[in-house]
Structure formats: structure tokens, C-alpha cells
Amino acid sequence: MASSNGVRTSNGVLGARHEAVAAATQWKPAQPQAGAHTHARVETIFGADVFAERQMRQRLPKDVFKRLMETIKRGQKLDRDIADVVASAMKEWAIENGATHYTHWFQPLTGLTAEKHDALVVPDAAGGSLLSDFSGSALVQGEPDASSFPSGGLRATFEARGYTAWDPTSPAFLNRAEGVVTLCIPTAFVSWNGEALDKKTPLLRSIEALSEQAMRILRFFHTDAGVTRVNTTLGAEQEYFLVDRNLYFARPDLVTCDRTLFGAKPPKGQQLEDHYFGSIPARVLNYMSEVERELYRMGVPVKTRHNEVAPAQYEIAPVFENANVACDHQMMVMEVLKRVAPRYGLQCILHEKPFKGVNGSGKHNNWSMSTDTGVNLLDPRDETHTNMQFLTFVCAVIRAVDLHADLLRASIASAANDHRLGANEAPPAIISIFLGDMLTDIIEQLESGSPKRTLKGGALDLGARTFPQIPRDAGDRNRTSPFAFTGNKFEFRAVGSSATSAWPNTVLNTIVAESLDVIATALEKTAGRNPTPQKMQQAVKSVLQKIIKQHKRVIFNGDGYSQEWHNEAKRRGLPNFRDTVESLPTLKSKKTVDLFRKYNVLSRAETESRYHIFIEKFIKQVSIEAETMVSVARTMILPAALEHQARLAEAIGATLAADVDCEGQRAMLEKFVGLVDRFRAAIDTAEKAADEHMDDPSRHALHIKTKVRPALDALRSLADELEEQISSELWPLATYRELLFIK
């Protein structure tokens, strides 16, 4: 029986892959559904689903509102006695907007977010009326089962009690998932003993630590008037892939592992460089628009959207926000990207390297420090060489990144990110700082004496009088640097696309806090009490010169991809941890443990728990990939190879029967049979390596690195070679050409 597209397998049944391709190419948009985006003006919907300042001002008594704002904006302790008032107002607002349940929305140490839904109102015992089930105590504290979340040895499996604690600095919001409205309350998640089992708690602690030390610097320069705290700010650029959902389900590896474990290189990838900033396909553009509108309603200030470098790769990015809120918003961005995609027949893939041979995805972490009065402490101003406070904060970052490059590298280590870092598509695993021409020049002046000038960029001459004059920055950007100064912030470009922003920012905040502490102590000691302006100037110059001399090795403005830089970095003594297994032991070092303990970010036990959780996650991820690869290879690719082999043999037999010379075909068959035999052996080798387990996680991770991954790489190489030879009619998996280019 012939199929609609004329393709049939050997048994007469249309193959799953071909059905998927047919469905993908024939996709039509469905009629708009309830909850789909409308064309309402953005300003009318932004923050509509957030219980933020506008809603609280309208619904709370003035004294309660004022006290809550002091907590949110000034970091003052929240009085428990106002919780009932806030909870009542929040509940009524949520119910008015269609919510039936509430949840303490938190971020465990694995996965994205977690939530347990409770009804806002419940029937009374007699079933006669509805009673409120949301009070101040329910707002402030929840009690989920902590035994089902990884603790890294912080608690025994049978110790189930855990607490979620309301974070009033991150506003509650309504999550509208396919017509179901839930009140989400951002919370911390801790054990019965108060140990952090989440990503938010250490982040908040690290922000407090940095604020305390940054305030000392401001007080030294007498710029602290009206300032009560320093916040860290964050803008996270989220990269992702979109593939047709029909094709996605024709790939068991994508379904299970979020990346393709097999796939021959297509004739066209990204070599024409025609996708980046290109015209956005209509289906994708409509998807982006709906994602943005859902995020606007939840108060997420997304600003940019565009095609990324690889085919089927895109980016969404917000504006700067307070880092704690920005990290929560980043989780919401990832969830909405995944949730909306099926409405358009698409699947959103957040994995760092879903397709071999094209660029992977990152999450550029744009980080700065800002006072609660709105002053960006990394804004250099026009005459930067005179801005000694700015140079002090910059030198603190230089010192922090140099001393703790190993910890920064560990903060972005994962099985997924291993495929991306250092692959000439992402920053190298060597952590260095790019400052640009202008700032590098000032730093060099400061090292040798007093800075006297600030380089100017001038203007660009575009060669036609009709063009307006365009000012040029004093230095270009460097896309090969993992940690680059980009005008008024530092961009940590090594964070992976599937990662949360909270952990890298916890590390960054802590290491900078430590450097600010050291600098503030040195300045206070050198300048003495009640110093004159001249003595202050001399103290700053002396302290910063010392830091530059000791830590300038981490500054590099050249090509981070080049072998010359790798050689030079080695000469400078910069660490180069090429993978997760090499990197994660940093978390167990005395230096790391002492750092987190000193600034009350993580206890020794909490720090060590992170190592155990992250190394176990690495092991489990690669093990799942190994089992998936072996299964797909044995049950899908090998049968296709044997069928192709049989067809070749049958064709040669028919040719011989016709007494026609077919030496060439026989040679081709023999070569193919040899390839199939090697592939079969590679399946067995990979399976054997994956089945070997060690009780010690560190030893098992090393086994994964040295034995399992090489076996999987060898298996993939042979499978990809088979794909290039087996008839397209027989190949069972959706190909890269189909996945990347059917839109």
C-alpha cells in the first residue's frame, strides 16, 4: 500500500521518521485558544499577574505597606505580625484573577523549580461553605517533604521534614498554565536544621555579604549618603533551540536526554553564517510573541529576541534587575519557553549542546553592583581615570576572578556544558578577564604611577554625508573571553543555557565580597583615621597598584580560542579545568570551604553537599545518555543497518545471476559489513563500560570520563558513518537536516 508521500519501509508500513517529517511539513497553526496572547498594549498587561508594589499599595493598609517596603527595598527584617494582613490581601487578589490554589515556588538543587499546590479555599466539614485556607502562617512557611530532594549528605533519607520560607523581596505571581491559574510564592527551601537545600538561600546570603563589604568602600570614599545597601544586578541572555514537535518525538535521545546522541553532519549547517540576526520564521515569531506576553504579565522585563548563530537557535534577553529577582525571572523564562512551544507544534530545547557540529547554547550572565539609590558602581563615567572608586571596584573584581578562577569554573561545570566550553563557539575553560583598550590602558597607567588620561573612541565616518555621526567606543568587544567588561558591567559568558543563574551568581558575589573586604581593610589601615583627601588618594593608589601587580595575569584581551593563549595561560599559571570531573573537586578544597564559611554563605556541610549533588548529577546524566545510546543503537540503528546490508546482498545476488560483473558492489558490501561489525562491537563495549559502577562517586565520575564517554564517542562516530551510507528510506531517526531546517 502506497503512502501519501510515496515512502514505504520494507514491511509496507510508513516509518515513524517519515510520518514525523510529513506532519512537520504540513503543520498548520491552530485556532487561538483561551489564554492565547492578544494584541493588548504591553503597558496595560505588564505586571498584571504580579503582586508587586502597585497591587500592594492599593490593597494593604498604609502602615503595613510601608513596613513591607522597608523589608523589600532596605533588607530590614520582616515582622511576623503583618503576615496575616499581607496573606489576606494576596489571597483576595489571586482569587479575583482566577486562582484556585497557591504554591511555595522554590528551586531545589537539581531540576528547575518545584511546587506543591494547596487550595486557597476548602469546604468546611459539613460541606456547607468554603473556608479560607491561606493565612499568614501559610504565606510565611510551608512544609514540603524534603526526603525526595537531594541533600548531598546533609540529612538521612528518612528525615523528611523541610521548610519553605517566603522571600518577600521577590514578588508573588500568578502562573497561568493552560488555563489553570496558580498563586506562586517565591520561597527559600531549607532542612529541619536550617541547612540550605536550594539555590535561593545561598544567593541571598551572598548578596548580603557583598552589600556589607561594598558599603565599607562607599563609606571610605564618602559616597554613602542615603545608601543603605548595595545590590547585585543581573541580566541573563537565554539561548535555546526550537525543533518541530513531530520530529522531536521521532528522536528518543532528544526526548530522554534533551540532546541528540547521534546525527551525521548535514551538508548545510551554519557555515554560510546566514542565520544570526536573520529574518525570524513566522511560526517562531508568533511563538516568541506569546512567550513575551506571558512573561510581561508576570513582570519579567524581556527586551530582545533574535536568531542566534546556529540554525534553529534563538535568544531572549531581559533588562537588568536586582539579582535575586532576576534569577527567579530566569527560571520563569525557561519554564514559559518550554510551556508555550507545544502550542505552535514546537519543542524548546535548553540543552547546552543538542546538536554536534553547530554552536551550542549559553546564558550570558551580565553582572554589576548598584546602590539602592540607583548608582551603578561599575559605570566608568567619561573621565574614567579620575574615578578612583570605580577603579577600586574593578580591581576587586580582577583580584576575585584571579584568586578564585577555579571556583568560578566549577560554578558552571556540568555534563552538558562540557560539550560547549572551549569548542570555539563558547569561552574557553580558562577563566580570564577582558577589559578593553580604554580600561586596560588606565589599569596600566595606575600600575606604573597615577592615571593621566582616558582613551576616547571618537566617531565613525560612514562615508556618506546623509548618515548621522556615530560615536565609537574606546575599545571593541571580545566574544572569546569568558569574563568581559562590556561598558558598565561584567559579562560571565561561560554559564550554560540549561543552568540556573543563582549558583554562578552566588559564587561571583562571594568572591567579590571577599576582595572588597581585603581592599576596604587595606584602605582603612593605610589611610588611618580621618584621613586628608591627599592621604586617601595615596592609600587608594598604593592598594590598587599592589593588586594590579599581583593579579594582572588574569587580564587577557586577545583571542581566547587560540593555542597561543592556552600556552600563555599555562605560563602565567592560570588553571585550565577542561571538564566537570576536573573542576568540581574545587568545591571540596579548604580555600573554598573557608571562603563560604567566612561570609556566611554556606557552611562546610552545605559546601560539601554541593560537590556530592553535582558529581552525582553528572554521573546520572551521562549514565542515562549511555543507556539511551545503547538502546537506540541496538533496536533502531542496527536493524536499519542489517536491512540495508540485506538489500545490498540481494542486489548483488541478482546482478551475479544476470552474469554481470559486480566486483565494485561486492567490495562496497564487504566494507559495509565490516562497518556494521565494528558498530555491533562498539555497542557491546559501550554497554559494558556503562554497566560498571563504583561505590565512590569521585571514582565513578572518573570512570565515566575515561571509559564511558570515549566508548560513547566511538559508538556515535560509527553510527554517524552508517547514517551517511544507509538508504534514507531505512534510516530510523530524524536527521539534522530535518531537525534544523524544517520550520
Side-chain angles (χ1 to χ4, degrees):
M1 184 176 73
S3 68
S4 60
N5 61 0
V7 177
R8 109 182 18 250
T9 60
S10 60
N11 63 2
V13 179
L14 189 66
R17 168 182 157 233
H18 302 292
E19 286 183 330
V21 171
T25 56
Q26 297 165 17
W27 184 87
K28 298 275 191 306
Q31 292 296 316
Q33 56 181 322
H37 71 274
T38 66
H39 296 287
R41 293 173 63 93
V42 171
E43 59 266 31
T44 66
I45 64 171
F46 188 83
D49 286 344
V50 185
F51 193 72
E53 185 170 344
R54 181 178 60 185
Q55 294 290 349
M56 290 187 287
R57 187 185 297 275
Q58 293 174 355
R59 293 172 178 269
L60 294 175
K62 286 184 179 180
D63 62 324
V64 173
F65 173 76
K66 182 180 178 181
R67 291 160 69 185
L68 187 56
M69 286 298 101
E70 289 296 315
T71 295
I72 295 171
K73 294 186 175 182
R74 306 294 182 187
Q76 296 186 8
K77 206 167 221 22
L78 179 70
D79 291 333
R80 189 108 179 200
D81 61 350
I82 70 169
D84 279 328
V85 181
V86 176
S88 178
M90 190 184 293
K91 180 197 71 176
E92 291 304 318
W93 168 79
I95 291 174
E96 286 173 15
N97 283 277
T100 58
H101 289 68
Y102 73 94
T103 180
H104 279 198
W105 184 80
F106 61 98
Q107 302 170 32
L109 290 169
T110 56
L112 292 180
T113 60
E115 51 196 68
K116 182 185 79 170
H117 295 196
D118 289 294
L120 285 164
V121 293
V122 295
D124 62 15
S129 60
L130 294 177
L131 304 174
S132 172
D133 198 39
F134 187 66
S135 61
S137 59
L139 169 64
V140 171
Q141 181 180 310
E143 193 175 327
D145 183 351
S147 65
S148 299
F149 295 96
S151 69
L154 286 174
R155 54 194 291 107
T157 304
F158 62 83
E159 296 174 327
R161 193 182 297 275
Y163 298 116
T164 50
W166 177 35
D167 173 18
T169 64
S170 186
F173 62 95
L174 300 177
N175 187 12
R176 298 179 183 270
E178 310 309 322
V180 178
V181 185
T182 305
L183 171 64
C184 296
I185 304 162
T187 60
F189 179 42
V190 298
S191 73
W192 184 72
N193 293 320
E195 297 151 326
L197 299 175
D198 66 338
K199 301 155 189 163
K200 177 183 280 284
T201 304
L203 175 66
L204 290 171
R205 294 171 182 171
S206 73
I207 294 171
E208 289 293 332
L210 185 140
S211 178
E212 181 180 345
Q213 303 306 326
M215 287 298 301
R216 293 174 64 192
I217 301 294
L218 298 185
R219 285 193 289 270
F220 178 84
F221 284 102
H222 305 299
T223 56
D224 60 322
V227 181
T228 59
R229 63 185 286 110
V230 172
N231 297 308
T232 58
T233 59
L234 171 66
E237 305 168 27
Q238 178 68 58
E239 295 173 351
Y240 60 98
F241 281 82
L242 290 173
V243 300
D244 186 274
R245 196 164 169 83
N246 297 287
L247 299 173
Y248 170 81
F249 285 114
R251 293 289 309 223
D253 48 359
L254 272 178
V255 173
T256 307
C257 307
D258 215 35
R259 78 179 184 99
T260 56
L261 305 175
F262 303 102
K265 184 179 178 183
K268 181 180 184 296
Q270 64 187 59
Q271 62 266 48
L272 291 179
E273 299 166 331
D274 57 346
H275 191 69
Y276 191 55
F277 281 12
S279 178
I280 302 172
R283 177 161 47 150
V284 175
L285 187 58
N286 276 278
Y287 159 76
M288 288 177 168
S289 178
E290 185 161 350
V291 165
E292 288 165 357
R293 288 182 175 273
E294 285 209 12
L295 290 171
Y296 289 152
R297 290 191 66 88
M298 293 191 288
V300 182
V302 289
K303 182 182 181 184
T304 62
R305 63 186 183 207
H306 61 83
N307 289 359
E308 258 297 335
V309 173
Q313 187 186 35
Y314 307 93
E315 181 181 294
I316 183 172
V319 298
F320 272 60
E321 300 180 276
N322 173 289
N324 177 41
V325 174
C327 287
D328 283 355
H329 282 172
Q330 212 345 264
M331 306 304 292
M332 293 154 68
V333 167
M334 296 166 78
E335 289 186 343
V336 172
L337 284 171
K338 298 282 280 188
R339 185 173 72 223
V340 174
R343 300 174 197 169
Y344 294 87
L346 298 168
Q347 185 71 26
C348 176
I349 300 173
L350 298 175
H351 195 282
E352 284 76 1
K353 193 70 171 179
F355 302 102
K356 184 180 180 181
V358 299
N359 276 19
S361 298
K363 194 193 318 275
H364 297 176
N365 190 95
N366 295 280
W367 175 93
S368 190
M369 296 169 279
S370 179
T371 68
D372 57 1
T373 57
V375 177
N376 182 355
L377 299 176
L378 290 180
D379 187 349
R381 299 202 312 243
D382 290 338
E383 297 299 320
T384 307
H385 68 281
T386 66
N387 191 348
M388 298 308 290
Q389 177 177 286
F390 162 78
L391 293 174
T392 298
F393 280 103
V394 167
C395 284
V397 175
I398 292 171
R399 180 187 180 278
V401 173
D402 182 40
L403 279 181
H404 301 287
D406 53 351
L407 183 55
L408 266 183
R409 171 66 180 88
S411 76
I412 48 90
S414 71
N417 219 16
D418 282 353
H419 298 288
R420 170 177 167 266
L421 292 183
N424 284 14
E425 65 183 60
I430 304 166
I431 304 295
S432 64
I433 292 179
F434 169 82
L435 293 179
D437 295 341
M438 181 269 287
L439 195 49
T440 298
D441 181 63
I442 292 174
I443 291 293
E444 289 174 350
Q445 292 180 59
L446 181 57
E447 182 186 9
S448 58
S450 298
K452 304 293 186 185
R453 68 183 185 278
T454 298
L455 293 178
K456 304 297 183 182
L460 288 172
D461 182 4
L462 301 183
R465 286 179 293 177
T466 54
F467 285 119
Q469 190 176 67
I470 298 177
R472 179 172 61 187
D473 289 324
D476 204 353
R477 291 193 175 186
N478 188 326
R479 308 301 290 175
T480 71
S481 175
F483 203 91
F485 185 74
T486 56
N488 60 1
K489 61 187 184 301
F490 281 96
E491 183 180 30
F492 188 21
R493 300 184 64 246
V495 182
S497 54
S498 68
T500 65
S501 300
W503 176 234
N505 280 276
T506 297
V507 169
L508 183 53
N509 294 341
T510 307
I511 65 177
V512 173
E514 190 253 358
S515 280
L516 291 172
D517 183 3
V518 169
I519 292 173
T521 301
L523 289 175
E524 292 159 0
K525 182 179 179 181
T526 305
R529 291 187 176 182
N530 303 315
T532 62
Q534 185 178 7
K535 201 163 183 179
M536 285 177 60
Q537 187 83 359
Q538 189 57 43
V540 173
K541 178 181 170 182
S542 172
V543 171
L544 298 191
Q545 282 179 338
K546 185 178 179 181
I547 287 174
I548 294 167
K549 285 182 169 63
Q550 291 178 340
H551 303 288
K552 65 181 180 180
R553 66 174 186 168
V554 79
I555 300 171
F556 178 68
N557 293 338
D559 183 2
Y561 296 154
S562 68
Q563 184 58 48
E564 290 79 10
W565 166 234
H566 282 69
N567 297 337
E568 173 62 17
K570 185 177 181 180
R571 188 191 67 77
R572 295 186 188 186
L574 299 179
N576 184 7
F577 298 119
R578 292 176 172 82
D579 55 52
T580 297
V581 178
E582 289 183 19
S583 182
L584 282 183
T586 299
L587 296 177
K588 299 192 296 181
S589 71
K590 185 178 184 302
K591 182 180 75 166
T592 297
V593 170
D594 289 349
L595 172 73
F596 284 133
R597 285 178 62 190
K598 181 176 181 179
Y599 296 98
N600 195 36
V601 175
L602 292 169
S603 67
R604 173 185 292 276
E606 288 172 328
T607 302
E608 291 176 349
S609 75
R610 269 66 185 166
Y611 169 78
H612 291 293
I613 290 169
F614 297 157
I615 203 72
E616 185 131 328
K617 184 179 179 182
F618 169 84
I619 292 168
K620 289 177 178 178
Q621 282 185 320
V622 182
S623 297
I624 291 169
E625 290 181 356
E627 289 190 32
T628 303
M629 283 191 77
V630 168
S631 174
V632 171
R634 182 169 284 143
T635 64
M636 298 179 74
I637 298 177
L638 184 58
L642 294 174
E643 175 67 17
H644 183 78
Q645 178 179 302
R647 290 187 179 189
L648 282 177
E650 184 180 352
I652 291 171
T655 304
L656 286 171
D659 199 24
V660 176
D661 180 54
C662 59
E663 276 304 308
Q665 291 92 324
R666 291 180 65 173
M668 181 176 67
L669 176 60
E670 288 175 3
K671 185 178 179 181
F672 187 81
V673 169
L675 176 59
V676 173
D677 286 342
R678 294 199 307 276
F679 180 67
R680 196 197 311 261
I683 296 173
D684 294 338
T685 301
E687 185 174 40
K688 183 179 177 182
D691 285 344
E692 192 172 345
H693 294 274
M694 288 105 177
D695 292 335
D696 178 66
S698 299
R699 287 184 60 226
H700 194 182
L702 184 61
H703 170 72
I704 292 279
K705 170 186 173 177
T706 58
K707 300 295 184 184
V708 178
R709 275 189 156 174
L712 299 181
D713 290 342
L715 179 60
R716 172 171 188 151
S717 178
L718 292 167
D720 293 352
E721 190 175 347
L722 284 170
E723 182 183 343
E724 293 175 333
Q725 297 190 39
I726 292 175
S727 164
S728 177
E729 176 188 342
L730 295 174
W731 188 253
L733 301 173
T735 66
Y736 275 21
R737 175 177 56 83
E738 294 156 352
L739 287 162
L740 294 173
F741 293 101
I742 294 179
K743 301 175 182 177

